């Protein structure tokens, strides 16, 4: 199979910066609680009516322009999000339309926190086998539209940000080359971080007019908002990421990497995981912004390159874990 590289990467952040004081005033959450979960990191929020596909479309348009490419040059789209614009169709369809691409295939992934790694893995296989020449990978999330704003889940409301990142994959080696990717899932622990409603598996009510996949009683109970057990998520990260990190390095034929990007909802994981990974992880880099779901890793990669913290051609590992529950690692050369 052909070698595959990330030949371009671009990011998009909403214009509005929402600091801790503003969020506390808007939600009624105590300022000390907001600060505890944010750690003072930057928070961005998309305006009403703007979903992940809009963020991804702006990033993708800039990426194509920078490469002097036309939307017609895109052969396939893979879109990873945990906060889709709507129940269906997928955000990949909306991205294709917004860019004005010719009719091409689109694959939407709901791999939650490991979404970018799963999307990268799928896109890599399409290009490696010669099925497509250029695959556009998008990872975007708007948790500010998704999480409760009434104080019931401050560890989510206060600790997350909206963001998008897109990457273009093409055949090639050297800078940007994808060396190895692995994603794992343990669905028996799906309630560690989940959102139960709206749900197509339910049709509640005894008579036809009453049947509703989103009953008012479930809304009143807040079951249409995500919930997360951070202690259990932390346990998964510390126990599972080291194993997949070692396995991914071995598949890449590398004893170590120059740097490792660590993305996680719980800041304790960022502090504790480096010791578990050891010297093979090289320098540990964490995000200066709040956690943005599956878009966190590519956002970190692009920002670290732009800031000079990473240089083209260096080897970097990207690790994360979260809903699913899932965890994963990707090893690439810096684009």
């Amino acid at each position: 199979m052909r070698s595959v590289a990330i030949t371009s990467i671009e990011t998009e952040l909403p214009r509005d910066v929402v600091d801790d004081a503003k969020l506390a005033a808007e939600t009624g959450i105590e300022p000390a609680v907001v600060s505890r979960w944010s750690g003072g990191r930057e928070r961005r929020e998309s305006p009403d009516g703007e979903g992940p596909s809009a963020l991804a479309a702006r990033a993708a348009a800039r990426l194509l322009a920078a490469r002097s490419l036309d939307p017609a040059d895109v052969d396939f789209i893979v879109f990873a999000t945990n906060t889709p614009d709507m129940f269906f169709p997928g955000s990949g369809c909306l991205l294709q339309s917004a860019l004005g691409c010719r009719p091409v295939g689109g694959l939407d992934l709901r791999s939650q926190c490991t979404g970018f790694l799963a999307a990268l893995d799928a896109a890599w296989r399409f290009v490696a086998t010669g099925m497509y020449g250029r695959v556009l990978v998008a990872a975007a999330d708007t948790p500010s539209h998704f999480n409760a704003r009434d104080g019931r889940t401050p560890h989510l409301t206060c600790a997350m940000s909206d963001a998008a990142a897109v990457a273009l994959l093409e055949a090639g080696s050297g800078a940007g080359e994808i060396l190895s990717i692995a994603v794992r899932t343990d669905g028996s622990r799906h309630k560690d971080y989940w959102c139960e409603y709206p749900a197509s598996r339910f049709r509640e009510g005894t008579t036809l007019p009453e049947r509703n996949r989103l009953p008012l009683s479930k809304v009143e109970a807040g079951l249409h908002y995500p919930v997360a057990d951070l202690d259990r998520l932390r346990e998964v990260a510390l126990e599972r990421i080291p194993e997949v990190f070692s396995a991914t390095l071995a598949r890449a034929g590398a004893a170590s990497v120059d740097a490792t990007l660590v993305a996680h909802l719980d800041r304790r994981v960022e502090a504790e995981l480096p010791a578990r990974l050891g010297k093979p992880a090289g320098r540990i880099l964490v995000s200066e912004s709040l956690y943005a779901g599956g878009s966190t890793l590519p956002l970190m990669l692009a920002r670290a390159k732009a800031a000079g913290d990473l240089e083209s051609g260096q080897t970097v590992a990207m690790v994360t874990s979260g809903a699913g529950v899932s965890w994963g690692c990707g090893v690439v050369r810096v684009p």
Side-chain angles (χ1 to χ4, degrees):
M1 293 199 298
R2 301 186 297 179
S3 297
V4 179
I6 300 172
T7 56
S8 299
I9 189 166
E10 186 58 79
T11 65
E12 174 70 12
L13 296 175
R15 181 184 65 248
D16 292 339
V17 178
V18 180
D19 62 23
D20 289 352
K22 183 178 181 181
L23 184 67
E26 290 179 349
T27 61
I29 301 173
E30 289 292 329
V33 174
V34 176
S35 296
R36 172 193 172 195
W37 291 113
S38 74
R41 297 187 184 188
E42 184 182 73
R43 179 188 299 105
R44 300 283 185 119
E45 293 188 358
S46 301
D48 184 42
E50 183 171 273
S53 66
L55 294 177
R58 291 199 291 270
R62 288 199 305 275
L63 182 151
L64 294 175
R67 288 284 308 277
S68 297
L69 293 172
D70 189 86
D73 294 320
V74 174
D75 298 317
F76 196 82
I77 295 172
V78 183
F79 201 120
T81 183
N82 197 37
T83 58
D85 293 78
M86 57 193 68
F87 199 80
F88 71 87
S91 296
C93 298
L94 304 183
L95 176 59
Q96 182 271 343
S97 176
L99 290 176
C101 297
R102 58 190 168 86
V104 295
L107 174 64
D108 278 73
L109 295 179
R110 294 286 297 278
S111 293
Q112 297 82 41
C113 303
T114 55
F116 178 68
L117 295 179
L120 205 62
D121 192 23
W124 169 79
R125 296 174 191 277
F126 284 133
V127 178
T129 57
M131 181 173 292
Y132 300 114
R134 292 190 181 97
V135 177
L136 185 67
V137 172
D141 278 295
T142 53
S144 70
H145 297 193
F146 204 61
N147 292 324
R149 306 281 286 191
D150 58 4
R152 70 182 73 197
T153 55
H155 53 299
L156 299 179
T157 307
C158 306
M160 301 189 75
S161 180
D162 299 352
V166 295
L168 190 66
L169 269 62
E170 301 175 86
S173 57
E177 184 177 357
I178 299 170
L179 302 178
S180 181
I181 303 172
V183 177
R184 309 276 191 264
T185 302
D186 181 358
S188 69
R189 299 186 58 157
H190 67 276
K191 292 184 180 181
D192 287 3
Y193 185 8
W194 74 319
C195 184
E196 188 175 10
Y197 284 86
S200 57
R201 63 177 177 166
F202 296 122
R203 191 182 64 178
E204 302 189 13
T206 57
T207 64
L208 186 60
E210 294 176 331
R211 289 176 180 169
N212 186 352
R213 63 187 178 89
L214 185 58
L216 179 59
S217 62
K218 305 303 182 183
V219 174
E220 292 173 339
L223 298 184
H224 60 305
Y225 290 126
V227 293
D229 185 328
L230 291 193
D231 288 333
R232 287 179 61 84
L233 292 176
R234 170 175 166 267
E235 175 185 90
V236 169
L238 297 180
E239 291 184 358
R240 301 293 191 174
I241 289 179
E243 174 273 327
V244 76
F245 171 76
S246 296
T248 308
L249 252 64
R251 287 176 55 187
S256 64
V257 291
D258 294 305
T260 296
L261 309 182
V262 178
H264 201 274
L265 175 62
D266 189 340
R267 289 187 295 121
R268 293 178 298 174
V269 171
E270 297 175 346
E272 299 171 29
L273 188 60
R276 304 285 184 106
L277 300 179
K279 291 183 178 180
R283 293 179 295 118
I284 301 294
L285 301 179
V286 298
S287 178
E288 61 192 38
S289 299
L290 289 172
Y291 186 68
S295 63
T296 309
L297 284 174
L299 178 64
M300 291 174 64
L301 179 61
R303 281 186 158 185
K305 169 69 184 307
D309 294 327
L310 293 174
E311 298 178 2
S312 293
Q314 287 185 316
T315 53
V316 61
M318 300 177 287
V319 299
T320 190
S321 69
V325 295
S326 60
W327 60 96
C329 175
V331 177
V332 304
R333 297 193 189 281
V334 178

